[in-house]
Amino acid sequence: MSGTKGMTHYRVETKQEAVRLVLEEHLSYYEVASRLGIRKSERIEAWVRMYRKEGDLSFHKPIGRPPKAQAEQRELERLRMENALLKKFHTELRGLRLAQRNIGRSTTTKKNTK
């Protein structure tokens, strides 16, 4: 039971039981809420909708922001890729500048050397 003040998190078993009571025993959302001690019947309606849309797996998905470690890892990978791309771009740009100024090429030819 964590979260902001007044926010209640229900166990997966409670959610599954609520959905079962609505779908199999044809109880109303309000009846199921009072029987299981759930504050708002709208919550059960949302669970039933999720169950119809995604099945039993809908109760096992993590909801909310991903853990900070995953977000930091993705950011690190993105920055490494960006760094590699910039290094490659810098190398190509440097080669073009040197070619434009004819630096690194020999200006003498066989005709001029004796």
Side-chain angles (χ1 to χ4, degrees), residues 22-60:
V22 169
L23 296 179
E24 292 179 8
E25 296 189 19
H26 306 290
L27 296 177
S28 70
Y29 299 129
Y30 181 78
E31 291 170 332
V32 174
S34 61
R35 185 182 284 190
L36 296 178
I38 298 170
R39 252 190 258 177
K40 294 186 176 185
S41 59
E42 293 87 12
R43 192 72 247 143
I44 298 169
E45 187 177 356
W47 295 339
V48 170
R49 204 172 339 149
M50 285 172 43
Y51 179 79
R52 285 181 175 154
K53 185 177 180 183
E54 301 170 15
D56 201 35
L57 295 176
S58 63
F59 301 125
H60 299 286

Side-chain angles (χ1 to χ4, degrees), residues 2 34-35 38 53 56-57 70 74 86 98 105 113:
S2 63
S34 61
R35 185 182 284 190
I38 298 170
K53 185 177 180 183
D56 201 35
L57 295 176
Q70 289 179 355
R74 280 197 310 266
L86 289 172
L98 292 176
R105 285 182 161 178
T113 57

Side-chain angles (χ1 to χ4, degrees), residues 7-102:
M7 187 174 188
T8 306
H9 293 272
Y10 297 98
R11 298 176 56 113
V12 173
E13 294 82 17
T14 305
K15 296 176 185 180
Q16 290 172 335
E17 179 63 15
V19 170
R20 187 191 70 75
L21 289 172
V22 169
L23 296 179
E24 292 179 8
E25 296 189 19
H26 306 290
L27 296 177
S28 70
Y29 299 129
Y30 181 78
E31 291 170 332
V32 174
S34 61
R35 185 182 284 190
L36 296 178
I38 298 170
R39 252 190 258 177
K40 294 186 176 185
S41 59
E42 293 87 12
R43 192 72 247 143
I44 298 169
E45 187 177 356
W47 295 339
V48 170
R49 204 172 339 149
M50 285 172 43
Y51 179 79
R52 285 181 175 154
K53 185 177 180 183
E54 301 170 15
D56 201 35
L57 295 176
S58 63
F59 301 125
H60 299 286
K61 290 191 317 185
I63 296 175
R65 183 180 295 180
K68 194 171 186 179
Q70 289 179 355
E72 287 177 351
Q73 184 64 30
R74 280 197 310 266
E75 178 72 7
L76 183 61
E77 289 173 11
R78 186 188 68 79
L79 290 172
R80 284 182 176 155
M81 184 178 69
E82 183 179 337
N83 196 16
L85 183 66
L86 289 172
K87 284 180 180 178
K88 183 178 178 182
F89 179 71
H90 179 20
T91 304
E92 290 177 7
L93 187 61
R94 184 175 170 91
L96 286 173
R97 284 186 182 164
L98 292 176
Q100 286 174 349
R101 295 189 301 182
N102 288 329

